Amino acid sequence: MAYLRPRLGPSRIFLPVVSVFRLVGSARMDDMGLAMSRTQLERLDFDNVVLKKLPLDLSQESGVRQVKGACFSRVKPQPLTSPRFVAVSPEALALLGLDGEEVMDDPLGPAYLSGSEIMPGSEPAAHCYCGHQFGQFAGQLGDGAACYLGEVKVPGRWEIQVKGAGLTPYSRQADGRKVLRSSIREFLCSEAMFFLGVPTTRAGSVVTSDSTVMRDVYYSGNPRHEKCSVVLRIAPTFLRFGSFEIFKKADEFTGRQGPSYGLDEIRGQMMDYVIEMFYPEIQQNYPDRVERNVAFFREVMLRTARLVAQWQCVGFCHGVLNTDNMSILGLTLDYGPYGFMDRFDPDFICNASDNSGRYSYQAQPAICRWNLVKLAEALAPELPPDRAKAVMDEYLDLYNDFYLENMRKKLGLLRKKEPEDEILITELLRTMHNTGADFTTTFRSLSQIFCSTEGESVGEEDSVKQAIDLLLEQCASLEELRAANKPTMDPRELAMLLSMAQSNPALFQMISDRMTIARQLERLSRLKDLMETSQEELKTKQADEWSCWITQYRKRLAHELEGQSDVQAVQEERVRVMDSTNPRVVLRNYIAQNAIEAAENGDFSEVERVLKVLEKPFSSQDEGEEQQQGATPTSTARNPVPYDSKPPAWAQEICVT
């Protein structure tokens, strides 16, 4: 038995080791089981770098307050009652590594994507920023309704936030909530802009609920209960021009100052973070700090110029181009009272609060330049003012280059750049304005106009007539033009202001401006002419104007064919480029309104249907009809017309804010 003891000894030592391995293996299996049981949303990999790199306000003090020395504040999103999905964008959610169907099927999906439940790793916070609103410095603004959830590591890095999740330190007099109509509008337009090829923040989902708030939709004194809703927004970052204005000294006009005035070291931190994270090539290529900062500002300027040129070329009007709504990455940011033009009108205003037309369609390039100047002021002294001015001197030329490049594609002018192209484009827009032509459908129609080639001179008149008939279909009727040219100002108010401009110029400058009055007088003049015109006379005049422009256009197209051996191939390429540049469909107000009205009555299918159409804005009409097959208009929505047609007359007046 003696020889057995050594064998028993080791056995007693060995058996517990086996047990330990079994326990460790069991724990690992449990962890794997737990990981497998977690949903996609619960497995998102958050790292939330911005909260580590920039100062964070840790105060849990409730209510609105000034936040000094911090770029973000911890917040607690307010849960919704019975949150549920209205729609998701599978393409946007895929940026986070999520499957749209799986998210829709997740019982906790609506709660997680509305901030009602907090996902593992998420750190809710609200961003502190300032802004110039309608040209005046407003002081501290911040995320009054939006809530940062965190940054998700996938291939790439994406910040996600929920808009409408409740009160933050920056909510001011508001309640931090958003309603169904504004949420659907932001969701649809964010995705529409992406599929149009315009840089934009994305929208992953819309969630609604049984929670309600009071809203006065038409500012008529008749508020009603509306359902609280939340949009999931996705972008590399939501930092903006106004993020750097928290350090501003007291403004000479409003007396307001940024909450972190005097804390210049934080400005440096923020610039370091933005450049290192989102402009790494600049960080790498410019070891000198000043040169790095100048290169950064120039890149922001370039991206902004390119962005606004793209807006102009799809007929998009942002509506609220304050400095706090300008992305530091050159993305379309914050979809409020936006609008896509129907009839072309350079003075198109989509924001009912914009009485002076500061943010009109034609003003957007200049306003973006103004906002860039304010950004440069906010970056000083990190950005020397003389260097910033030199950069800004490049803006107009860069904008014009981007605009002409896009417009040449829209007109199919691909092989040559001629000085007369600017005149051709200007005359096209003037003709569209005079005839009340629809912006989107007119450009889409141009690919059906061809230039004459050798041996085709006999059919020249017929070709021009066909082109005229085609474009006349896009023009407004006499009734529509009269309605469009009615002055927006009461005649008595206009008469009073005209008198004041002469008798008391100083007082006039305080309450109005000459540009506003000039626009009203121009409308009156056009309306007078239209009231003295018959429908037949209008059609003749419209045909004459289009005939002149089409003749010039076809001559310019003929220049494209000079020296080309395969004329048919050139023509086919032109059509292909034009049809992939000029959308068949954009998110017109009446389309969004159809979806909103259906959703407010409990039918979310129209939101999904519209999203599917917007995902293919350049597809042919046949493809568009296939997308809509089986989609029966809901009884709660206005009877939809084909989305690639001109809007019905009733729809041209809708502007939902």
Side-chain angles (χ1 to χ4, degrees), residues 78-84 116 164 177-180 207-214 225-229:
Q78 295 172 275
L80 296 172
T81 302
S82 301
R84 53 195 175 276
S116 300
R177 291 299 193 188
K178 295 297 175 182
V179 296
L180 195 54
V207 172
T208 192
S209 70
D210 290 340
S211 303
T212 62
V213 288
M214 293 292 288
H225 285 283
E226 294 192 62
K227 290 182 177 178
C228 297
S229 303

Side-chain angles (χ1 to χ4, degrees), residues 178-360:
K178 295 297 175 182
V179 296
L180 195 54
R181 54 196 165 81
S182 61
S183 300
I184 288 174
R185 280 174 56 82
E186 170 144 8
F187 172 75
L188 289 175
C189 200
S190 299
E191 294 306 280
M193 292 290 270
F194 171 76
F195 289 106
L196 285 171
V198 179
T200 179
T201 59
R202 302 294 300 277
S205 63
V206 182
V207 172
T208 192
S209 70
D210 290 340
S211 303
T212 62
V213 288
M214 293 292 288
R215 293 288 187 269
D216 188 350
V217 184
Y218 301 108
Y219 306 103
S220 60
N222 297 303
R224 62 183 174 90
H225 285 283
E226 294 192 62
K227 290 182 177 178
C228 297
S229 303
V230 173
V231 179
L232 175 75
R233 308 205 296 185
I234 306 169
T237 181
F238 286 89
L239 294 180
R240 53 201 72 204
F241 290 12
S243 301
F244 291 93
E245 292 188 296
I246 64 173
F247 314 104
K248 180 177 169 55
K249 66 180 181 181
D251 185 79
E252 60 179 313
F253 297 107
T254 66
R256 299 187 182 100
Q257 70 177 34
S260 294
Y261 169 64
L263 302 178
D264 291 348
E265 69 279 3
I266 301 178
R267 181 197 292 112
Q269 281 181 256
M270 195 185 301
M271 288 189 75
D272 290 345
Y273 169 75
V274 170
I275 296 171
E276 289 170 10
M277 288 294 294
F278 307 110
Y279 296 90
E281 67 289 346
I282 290 176
Q283 179 70 23
Q284 183 176 356
N285 295 335
Y286 293 89
D288 179 81
R289 186 175 183 85
V290 170
E291 295 304 320
R292 182 202 70 167
N293 294 347
V294 172
F296 159 64
F297 180 66
R298 186 180 189 281
E299 181 64 21
V300 175
M301 181 274 293
L302 184 145
R303 292 188 187 193
T304 302
R306 182 189 292 120
L307 175 68
V308 69
Q310 290 176 275
W311 288 349
Q312 301 303 97
C313 289
V314 295
F316 175 79
C317 194
H318 184 283
V320 204
L321 281 177
N322 302 324
T323 56
D324 52 290
N325 292 333
M326 298 286 295
S327 164
I328 204 69
L329 300 185
L331 307 174
T332 312
L333 174 69
D334 282 354
Y335 291 91
Y338 66 82
F340 286 89
M341 277 193 295
D342 295 326
R343 291 178 299 270
F344 175 71
D345 179 2
D347 292 324
F348 174 63
I349 299 170
C350 59
N351 183 352
S353 303
D354 187 6
N355 297 320
S356 68
R358 177 181 176 85
Y359 298 143
S360 68

Side-chain angles (χ1 to χ4, degrees), residues 34-93:
L34 179 61
M36 294 300 292
S37 68
R38 298 167 75 188
T39 65
Q40 282 192 338
L41 291 169
E42 291 167 340
R43 295 198 301 270
L44 286 176
D45 187 9
F46 287 94
D47 67 355
N48 311 332
V49 171
V50 72
L51 301 186
K52 302 179 181 74
K53 294 281 189 177
L54 298 181
L56 177 62
D57 167 33
L58 300 177
S59 171
Q60 295 293 317
E61 180 186 345
S62 62
V64 175
R65 64 182 188 276
Q66 285 283 300
V67 176
K68 183 176 182 178
C71 300
F72 286 85
S73 298
R74 295 277 191 201
V75 296
K76 294 179 180 178
Q78 295 172 275
L80 296 172
T81 302
S82 301
R84 53 195 175 276
F85 282 122
V86 174
V88 304
S89 169
E91 295 240 11
L93 291 177

Side-chain angles (χ1 to χ4, degrees), residues 292-477:
R292 182 202 70 167
N293 294 347
V294 172
F296 159 64
F297 180 66
R298 186 180 189 281
E299 181 64 21
V300 175
M301 181 274 293
L302 184 145
R303 292 188 187 193
T304 302
R306 182 189 292 120
L307 175 68
V308 69
Q310 290 176 275
W311 288 349
Q312 301 303 97
C313 289
V314 295
F316 175 79
C317 194
H318 184 283
V320 204
L321 281 177
N322 302 324
T323 56
D324 52 290
N325 292 333
M326 298 286 295
S327 164
I328 204 69
L329 300 185
L331 307 174
T332 312
L333 174 69
D334 282 354
Y335 291 91
Y338 66 82
F340 286 89
M341 277 193 295
D342 295 326
R343 291 178 299 270
F344 175 71
D345 179 2
D347 292 324
F348 174 63
I349 299 170
C350 59
N351 183 352
S353 303
D354 187 6
N355 297 320
S356 68
R358 177 181 176 85
Y359 298 143
S360 68
Y361 167 80
Q362 70 173 350
Q364 290 184 134
I367 286 298
C368 285
R369 185 189 184 282
W370 191 91
N371 289 339
L372 282 162
V373 170
K374 293 303 169 187
L375 173 62
E377 292 174 2
L379 295 178
E382 291 275 354
L383 176 69
D386 60 324
R387 301 295 300 277
K389 182 181 182 304
V391 170
M392 288 310 304
D393 287 343
E394 302 176 47
Y395 174 84
L396 188 57
D397 287 340
L398 277 171
Y399 165 76
N400 284 332
D401 288 345
F402 289 133
Y403 180 77
L404 281 173
E405 179 185 359
N406 287 335
M407 276 294 183
R408 285 191 175 103
K409 286 182 181 178
K410 290 175 78 68
L411 294 177
L413 309 178
L414 310 178
R415 283 174 157 65
K416 298 182 178 181
K417 295 181 179 179
E418 299 189 355
E420 295 78 13
D421 291 348
E422 288 189 55
I423 298 173
L424 185 69
I425 293 164
T426 300
E427 284 302 305
L428 169 61
L429 297 177
R430 184 189 64 79
T431 303
M432 289 171 65
H433 187 212
N434 289 346
T435 61
D438 185 89
F439 185 89
T440 301
T441 59
T442 297
F443 274 107
R444 182 71 177 188
S445 300
L446 294 181
S447 65
Q448 299 177 51
I449 299 175
F450 295 92
C451 66
S452 58
T453 56
E454 291 183 19
E456 289 186 349
S457 57
V458 176
E460 183 79 8
E461 280 191 30
D462 288 342
S463 297
V464 172
K465 185 178 184 306
Q466 288 174 5
I468 292 171
D469 290 344
L470 177 68
L471 293 177
L472 283 177
E473 292 177 9
Q474 320 311 323
C475 296
S477 67

Side-chain angles (χ1 to χ4, degrees), residues 625-642:
E625 287 170 354
E626 286 175 14
Q627 291 172 22
Q628 296 183 43
Q629 280 181 1
T632 305
T634 60
S635 59
T636 57
R638 296 182 191 264
N639 186 30
V641 297

